[in-house]
């Protein structure tokens, strides 16, 4: 995975739009590609037909996802959408946007809580629960898992090794990620990359929600 390891970073800050341009950065190539896109104001990625879904996660800005027969969905910072297959899909923005795109194959297993073509927020998929950690698999296959987790204040995952590379998307609140003996405070809107077999832990210093994209190839 082409991303810095073992430190807090920001997909939005590290991929600021370039005036008049659309920019893409492939960070993982496999069965489920991961690409960062930066769209400058008044730019457009033309609608095309894809035989697979795309999970779009808006890191910053506002954008429209559009298709034929008048289909259009408006997204802003923190919003997500899973695009439909076999129908034209495009992205455009008047003010600029940065987002992550994850390829989702037809055979991948999606949670019934998410529907293609509907806008949702990852943070809204799981509730907080007193003294508990609540998990939901949003989509998965034998090589990838995308999970949303809600930690009550003080709840923690003890140190363990990642079976593959992973990107954390901090969604709400604040936590501390322990990684290879160092602690890193992470807040909503920030990200973290675990290397395969990297020893890590997670503790919620406040109520904390995060998404975890784990690749196993």
């Amino acid at each position: 995975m082409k991303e810095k390891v073992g430190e807090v970073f920001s997909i939005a800050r590290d991929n600021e739009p370039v005036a008049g341009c659309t920019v893409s950065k492939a960070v993982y190539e496999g069965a489920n590609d991961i690409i960062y896109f930066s769209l400058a104001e008044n730019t457009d990625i033309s609608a095309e037909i894809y035989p697979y879904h795309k999970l779009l996660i808006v890191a910053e800005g506002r954008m429209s996802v559009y298709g034929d027969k008048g289909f259009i969905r408006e997204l802003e910072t923190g919003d997500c959408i899973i695009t439909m297959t076999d129908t034209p899909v495009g992205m455009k923005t008047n003010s600029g946007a940065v987002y992550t795109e994850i390829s989702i194959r037809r055979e991948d297993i999606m949670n019934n809580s998410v529907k293609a073509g509907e806008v949702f927020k990852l943070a809204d998929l799981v509730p907080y629960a007193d003294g508990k950690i609540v998990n939901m698999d949003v989509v998965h296959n034998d090589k990838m898992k995308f999970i949303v987790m809600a930690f009550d204040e003080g709840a923690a995952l003890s140190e363990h090794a990642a079976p593959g590379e992973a990107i954390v998307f901090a969604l709400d609140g604040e936590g501390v990620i322990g990684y290879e003996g160092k602690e890193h405070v992470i807040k909503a809107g920030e990200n973290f990359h675990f290397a395969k077999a990297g020893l890590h832990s997670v503790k919620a210093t406040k109520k904390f929600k995060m998404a975890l994209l784990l690749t196993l190839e």
Side-chain angles (χ1 to χ4, degrees):
M1 190 178 292
K2 302 172 186 176
E3 191 52 88
K4 61 187 75 174
V5 176
E7 61 183 274
V8 175
F9 69 99
S10 166
I11 291 171
R13 289 195 302 268
D14 294 350
N15 295 275
E16 293 184 355
V18 176
C21 301
T22 61
V23 181
S24 61
K25 176 185 175 182
V27 293
Y28 178 79
E29 296 178 355
N32 302 92
D33 292 340
I34 307 169
I35 306 172
Y36 302 152
F37 280 90
S38 306
L39 278 58
E41 61 181 49
N42 298 318
T43 59
D44 187 332
I45 296 178
S46 300
E48 296 182 344
I49 298 172
Y50 298 90
Y52 54 89
H53 301 283
K54 298 180 179 188
L55 170 57
L56 310 181
I57 307 168
V58 181
E60 188 170 82
R62 299 178 63 90
M63 59 185 279
S64 303
V65 176
Y66 68 94
D68 61 359
K69 298 180 181 178
F71 177 85
I72 189 165
R73 297 290 185 270
E74 304 294 340
L75 289 81
E76 58 185 18
T77 302
D79 285 344
C80 303
I81 192 170
I82 294 175
T83 63
M84 297 173 289
T85 61
D86 301 323
T87 186
V89 175
M91 283 67 69
K92 61 184 178 181
T93 178
N94 294 326
S95 56
V98 179
Y99 66 94
T100 301
E101 176 184 294
I102 305 166
S103 300
I104 305 296
R105 302 172 301 175
R106 292 177 190 271
E107 59 268 31
D108 294 343
I109 301 169
M110 287 195 292
N111 194 290
N112 290 333
S113 296
V114 296
K115 307 293 183 185
E118 296 182 1
V119 178
F120 63 96
K121 289 185 182 293
L122 291 169
D124 293 342
L125 294 179
V126 289
Y128 288 114
D130 288 346
K132 299 176 181 178
I133 301 172
V134 181
N135 295 351
M136 174 189 285
D137 283 4
V138 180
V139 60
H140 68 275
N141 57 44
D142 59 348
K143 298 295 185 181
M144 178 273 293
K145 182 173 282 193
F146 190 62
I147 311 160
V148 180
M149 309 175 73
F151 295 73
D152 191 25
E153 183 174 347
L157 294 175
S158 59
E159 188 174 57
H160 60 284
E165 292 190 86
I167 295 179
V168 169
F169 299 77
L171 305 173
D172 183 55
E174 181 179 305
V176 173
I177 291 177
Y179 186 79
E180 296 291 343
K182 295 183 179 180
E183 292 192 341
H184 307 265
V185 175
I186 187 167
K187 301 177 182 179
E190 296 179 328
N191 305 91
F192 199 93
H193 175 204
F194 301 136
K196 183 177 180 179
L199 285 171
H200 65 278
S201 61
V202 180
K203 183 175 181 178
T205 51
K206 301 178 181 178
K207 288 180 181 290
F208 179 58
K209 291 184 181 182
M210 71 179 213
L212 179 71
L213 175 59
L214 176 66
T215 60
L216 300 173
E217 290 182 296

